[in-house]
Amino acid sequence: TAELGDPEFLALLDNEGRIEPRDAMPDAYRKTLIRQIAQHAHSEIIGMQPEGNWITRAPSLHRKAILLAKVQDEAGHGLYLYAAAETLGIDRSELLDALHEGRQKYSSIFNYPTTSWADIGAIGWLVDGAAIVNQVPLCRCSYGPYARAMIRICKEESFHQRQGFDLLLTLSNGTPAQHAMAQDAVNRWWWPSLMMFGPPDEASPNSARSTRWGIKRFSNDELRQRFVDIAVPQSEALGLTIPDPDLRWNVDRDHYDFGEIDFSELFDVIAGKGYCNDERMERRTSAHNDGEWVREAAMAYAAKKTEAAA
Ligand code: FAQ
């Protein structure tokens, strides 16, 4: 259909060409990218909250320094992503308004609570692990600024994943109480991590167009399967059990089979009915309002600088 773009645009995509900010692009392509990049940026900054919750309670200076660095990285990822979205002709303040007014989404995963220190390990291992599997193909996304932002983000996510694995390994090999704490965190974070990849393919309204446009390179279910295949041997190395009795290697498929995912939970969380949706939004909007004076001061300083240079 005409909405997908003219033949010249589609041919450029077929040849793996990159679309850059000043290039002509169909309106629907621009809108889809703004939606996805903004959602991704919002996830990064809302994603600072569940882990930020443990910075003051990290068990050692070493762990605290790692966690501080990780949470700061998430803020940085938000900034690169808002900047990438701005190249599509929208202002960061408009995107933040859309988040605060509930017109744009952020990842379901950040609406779950972090109730123990082991959750910091489970988030690094599983949530960052899932994020990497989803984001590595985005380094080849057809839109140049998004693809380039993803390269650096993926490198930093690898460090995040490793620190989570290391934290869980230490707990798993610790006292029986520490091992139990690690297992409990994995029990709670496993299924929500699988839901991060989105609805199943047959219920994913955006997939067909995003795939035609080279934004998506693999389907939600393909990436979910890839994640399970990577996570199972890692769980064995950790000495922790994945909470799925149906998980087993399938010789014919050359993949792990896994149990049925309760997608009604994903849709409920997306609809605002997760454990922490209200708390996350309240924290975000109050931080934004409390920061008003900082934005004003920065604008005044920039105006003064411009005046002085003129
Ligand atoms: N949560 O048709 P599809 C991170 C929505 S990683 C909430 O399949 P699409 C790192 C979807 O937007 C997390 N909403 O959609 C970190 C759509 O609604 P809409 C962020 C979801 O776009 C770690 C509807 O359902 N990563 O932050 C979810 O083709 C630790 C139908 O779905 C990204 O954003 C969900 N899980 O595929 C940070 C990656 N799934 O917009 C801090 C980039 C689906 O039409 C600490 N995004 N929906 O109203 C993507 O790859 C894609 O957007 C998908 C969804 C795969 C998420």
Side-chain angles (χ1 to χ4, degrees), residues 10-250:
L10 294 172
L12 183 68
L13 295 180
D14 289 338
N15 293 323
E16 295 292 320
R18 281 274 164 88
I19 311 300
E20 295 298 338
R22 285 158 202 265
D23 293 346
M25 61 183 94
D27 200 41
Y29 175 85
R30 185 187 299 275
K31 283 205 178 110
T32 290
L33 278 166
I34 291 175
R35 172 184 68 80
Q36 178 166 327
I37 302 172
Q39 237 172 63
H40 197 163
H42 300 329
S43 304
E44 298 284 355
I45 61 166
I46 299 264
M48 296 168 73
Q49 293 186 34
E51 291 173 282
N53 184 30
W54 281 90
I55 291 173
T56 55
R57 292 175 287 169
S60 68
L61 180 60
H62 178 68
R63 292 288 179 197
K64 188 182 183 114
I66 294 172
L67 185 57
L68 263 176
K70 179 183 193 283
V71 173
Q72 282 179 356
D73 283 352
E74 314 297 0
H77 296 175
L79 291 185
Y80 315 149
L81 287 164
Y82 285 119
E86 284 191 316
T87 66
L88 290 157
I90 188 153
D91 200 72
R92 193 198 308 178
S93 61
E94 292 176 67
L95 299 175
L96 286 171
D97 287 346
L99 170 67
H100 299 154
E101 289 160 18
R103 285 181 283 114
Q104 281 179 347
K105 301 185 168 79
Y106 60 90
S107 180
S108 52
I109 195 75
F110 303 117
N111 293 306
Y112 292 84
T114 40
T115 54
S116 85
W117 170 250
D119 288 22
I120 301 306
I123 291 179
W125 177 43
L126 296 172
V127 175
D128 288 278
I132 295 169
V133 169
N134 166 270
Q135 286 168 200
V136 165
L138 290 173
C139 297
R140 293 192 291 119
C141 163
S142 59
Y143 188 59
Y146 190 31
R148 288 188 290 272
M150 278 301 129
I151 294 172
R152 177 160 174 184
I153 291 179
C154 284
K155 287 189 178 151
E156 293 176 348
E157 298 289 19
S158 302
F159 150 65
H160 298 170
Q161 197 269 353
R162 288 301 293 266
Q163 67 83 36
F165 185 90
D166 177 72
L167 197 167
L168 279 184
L169 186 64
T170 305
L171 287 178
S172 180
N173 292 332
T175 64
Q178 286 172 324
H179 180 88
M181 193 199 275
Q183 183 61 57
D184 172 63
V186 170
N187 291 349
R188 285 180 290 107
W189 288 91
W190 174 253
W191 293 104
S193 298
L194 294 191
M195 294 174 202
M196 283 175 72
F197 294 91
D201 292 350
E202 65 276 10
S204 165
N206 298 301
S207 275
R209 274 195 326 182
S210 290
T211 304
R212 179 64 191 93
W213 282 329
I215 297 171
K216 273 186 155 169
R217 300 287 177 174
F218 299 96
S219 77
N220 296 359
D221 287 330
E222 283 168 340
L223 293 176
R224 190 165 11 244
Q225 178 73 61
R226 183 175 296 181
F227 173 69
V228 172
D229 290 348
I230 294 171
V232 176
Q234 291 181 348
S235 72
E236 287 160 5
L238 284 169
L240 296 170
T241 308
I242 288 175
D244 178 358
D246 297 323
L247 198 63
R248 58 181 58 87
W249 181 252
N250 182 325

